[in-house]
Amino acid sequence: MKTIVIYTSQTGFTKRYAEWIAEAAGADCFELSAAKKKDLASYEAIIFGGWACAGSISKISWFKQNMDKWADKKLIAFCVGGSPIDNPEIDIALKRNFNESEQKKVKTFYCPGGFNYEKMSTPSKLMMKMFVKTLKSKKDKTEAEEIMVKMISSSYDISDKKYIEPILQYLKK
C-alpha cells in the first residue's frame, strides 16, 4: 500500500515517530509544509501526525479540510504528547479533534513523547512554566496532579518504537 506520513513537530518527538512509522511501513515521510506542495492522489494511505497542544492535535485543521477529497484512502492521525499511554484523558482528547462523521473516516492513535524545554518555542515554554507554577501552588493536589508536576517540571523522553505497532497493524488491515 503506497503510504505517506505527514507530520508537524515542535521539539522533535512527532518527527521521530513519523520517521519510525515511515521506515517500518516503507512510506514516504514529509514535514507538513513540504507535504502541502505534493500531489497526494497516488497514495492509498495518508498518515498525519501532530503534537498535543491543550487537548488538540497541532495543525489538524489542514488534515480535516482535506479528508473529503481523500474519501477513497485509508486515513490515520496520530498525536504525540507528554502523557503516559495509560492516561484515561487521552481517548477523550483524541475524539474531540474529530466530529462523529469524521471519526468514521479516520483512525486515531496516541504516542507518548515527552517534553524538551530546550527545543520549545518561547511562548510554549512560558505557557508550560506558568502552568507548572500554578499547579505547584495549588493546595490539595490530587495524586494525578502531583505526578504531573513531577513529570513536566523538567525535560523528559518516554518515546518508544513499540508505540507505533498499533498504527502499523491498522495500516495492514
Side-chain angles (χ1 to χ4, degrees):
M1 180 178 293
K2 188 169 180 193
T3 304
I4 186 169
V5 180
I6 301 164
Y7 69 91
T8 178
S9 187
Q10 182 182 40
T11 61
F13 293 105
T14 309
K15 179 181 181 183
R16 179 185 300 157
Y17 275 108
E19 289 172 346
W20 284 343
I21 294 164
E23 181 183 349
D28 294 332
C29 186
F30 295 98
E31 200 277 328
L32 178 59
S33 59
K36 284 180 177 179
K37 299 171 188 165
K38 300 235 171 262
D39 179 7
L40 305 182
S42 67
Y43 290 99
E44 298 162 276
I46 299 174
I47 302 172
F48 178 81
W51 45 279
C53 182
S56 294
I57 302 171
S58 62
K59 310 287 186 189
I60 198 66
S61 58
W62 172 83
F63 182 78
K64 290 172 65 165
Q65 289 166 2
N66 288 288
M67 283 175 61
D68 284 342
K69 71 179 178 185
W70 298 333
D72 62 331
K73 301 180 187 313
K74 182 173 276 195
L75 300 179
I76 298 170
F78 71 94
C79 178
V80 178
S83 292
I85 195 91
D86 59 358
N87 183 332
E89 294 178 24
I90 291 168
D91 283 339
I92 297 163
L94 285 176
K95 283 187 173 93
R96 265 195 309 238
N97 284 276
F98 297 97
N99 66 36
E100 205 172 306
S101 69
E102 291 167 338
Q103 287 177 31
K104 293 174 185 166
K105 300 173 189 173
V106 62
K107 181 79 169 154
T108 56
F109 297 89
Y110 177 77
C111 300
F115 274 91
N116 187 330
Y117 282 103
E118 295 73 31
K119 290 185 179 179
M120 268 187 200
S121 67
T122 302
S124 292
K125 198 182 304 186
L126 289 172
M127 183 182 72
M128 287 307 304
K129 293 294 182 185
M130 285 175 21
F131 179 67
V132 169
K133 188 176 180 181
T134 302
L135 204 52
K136 279 183 176 177
S137 66
K138 183 180 177 191
K139 292 180 183 0
D140 303 319
K141 286 186 271 302
T142 65
E143 185 180 343
E145 289 169 333
E146 292 282 0
I147 292 167
M148 187 184 296
V149 166
K150 286 179 186 157
M151 284 185 77
I152 65 175
S153 291
S154 59
S155 296
Y156 64 93
D157 183 349
I158 55 173
S159 59
D160 192 310
K161 261 188 182 175
K162 69 182 179 187
Y163 297 119
I164 69 169
E165 284 307 314
I167 297 169
L168 298 173
Q169 288 174 5
Y170 180 75
L171 192 58
K172 291 175 187 172
K173 286 184 182 177

